[in-house]
Amino acid sequence: EDQVTQSPEALRLQEGESSSLNCSYTVSGLRGLFWYRQDPGKGPEFLFTLYSAGEEKEKERLKATLTKKESFLHITAPKPEDSATYLCAVQAGIQGAQKLVFGQGTRLTINP
Amino acid sequence: GAGVSQSPRYKVAKRGQDVALRCDPISGHVSLFWYQQALGQGPEFLTYFQNEAQLDKSGLPSDRFFAERPEGSVSTLKIQRTQQEDSAVYLCASSLITGGFLHFGNGTRLTVT
């Protein structure tokens, strides 16, 4: 069974203090790894898709990386508006299987 | 519309009542998904449509849950004889192409009392 585990569950940082969020996965045949941001009372908002080990993608203060067992979301010099829950999800298995399997999320708080 | 729209935003049901949750995906989006999100957890897959065809319903927790998308656009998730464990946020998502990234709605928060 495909599994996704995110750590830490919650993280508090000061504004400008860089850190990384971890997403470990156990799947049969990874087809894509997705990062989403979720604000309270809202649906998840797409950030990145990574397809193969070694791939990296960047957007503003965020950079996502992928290895064969895990993905990291690096946040550089965060601002209070970066506070949110960050969700990792995998798409795996046979071609045609479209569902995403999500981790439980990391709740990130950036204090001014 | 600008995004995925879900209604109602909040629903309170007494145990045993039937409920219907509506999803209006982004116009032209082929794929439509329903997810269930418990408090403090990540979304869990319920079911998937490609146009009007329901291709995967492996995540529906019981036969009390039923989803349809008869004309390949609007979808309805129906829960019969609601139970307290059905209390959660129900998220709908759509994508333009098969395998594309998902655009989520803001969900319907269902509370069963």
Side-chain angles (χ1 to χ4, degrees):
Chain A
E1 184 177 331
D2 299 335
Q3 285 194 328
V4 179
T5 302
Q6 292 187 246
S7 61
E9 287 190 12
L11 180 62
R12 284 185 174 274
L13 300 172
Q14 289 299 120
E15 184 173 0
E17 181 185 0
S18 302
S19 188
S20 296
L21 313 182
N22 178 263
C23 171
S24 298
Y25 59 91
T26 306
V27 298
S28 52
L30 179 73
R31 298 191 0 249
L33 185 139
F34 298 75
W35 282 97
Y36 284 83
R37 168 191 171 129
Q38 187 172 27
D39 293 298
K42 304 284 189 180
E45 178 185 345
F46 172 77
L47 293 172
F48 304 108
T49 309
L50 302 166
Y51 293 104
S52 57
E55 190 174 359
E56 298 183 353
K57 287 199 178 164
E58 286 189 66
K59 179 180 178 180
E60 296 181 354
R61 294 176 292 283
L62 298 176
K63 183 169 82 171
T65 62
L66 181 65
T67 73
K68 288 186 179 179
K69 293 183 180 180
E70 58 192 348
S71 177
F72 292 92
L73 185 66
H74 307 276
I75 182 161
T76 302
K79 299 181 178 182
E81 54 262 41
D82 295 321
S83 297
T85 295
Y86 290 85
L87 295 164
C88 169
V90 297
Q91 189 176 60
I94 59 172
Q95 196 69 24
Q98 297 299 321
K99 70 177 184 182
L100 295 183
V101 176
F102 281 85
Q104 80 278 22
T106 292
R107 191 171 63 255
L108 177 65
T109 304
I110 308 299
N111 295 315
Chain B
V4 177
S5 178
Q6 292 188 245
S7 60
R9 191 77 176 84
Y10 303 93
K11 177 70 179 177
V12 178
K14 292 186 178 178
R15 191 162 58 97
Q17 282 186 332
D18 298 349
V19 298
L21 312 180
R22 177 186 169 104
C23 173
D24 282 87
I26 295 172
S27 178
H29 278 202
V30 168
S31 299
L32 185 145
F33 298 76
W34 285 97
Y35 285 83
Q36 180 189 61
Q37 187 172 27
L39 191 64
Q41 300 298 311
E44 288 199 10
F45 171 80
L46 294 176
T47 188
Y48 159 63
F49 292 84
Q50 186 171 311
N51 297 307
E52 69 277 4
Q54 189 175 21
L55 298 185
D56 187 349
K57 54 182 181 180
S58 61
L60 295 176
S62 77
D63 57 9
R64 297 186 295 104
F65 286 71
F66 172 76
E68 59 183 5
R69 193 186 186 198
E71 297 178 358
S73 55
V74 171
S75 178
T76 304
L77 177 67
K78 297 179 179 179
I79 309 173
Q80 297 178 323
R81 304 182 303 282
T82 52
Q83 304 294 317
Q84 280 197 315
E85 60 263 29
D86 300 335
S87 295
V89 174
Y90 290 85
L91 294 165
C92 177
S94 67
S95 67
L96 179 61
I97 58 172
T98 302
F101 70 86
L102 301 184
H103 300 257
F104 281 86
N106 288 328
T108 294
R109 180 177 297 279
L110 173 65
T111 303
V112 181
T113 61

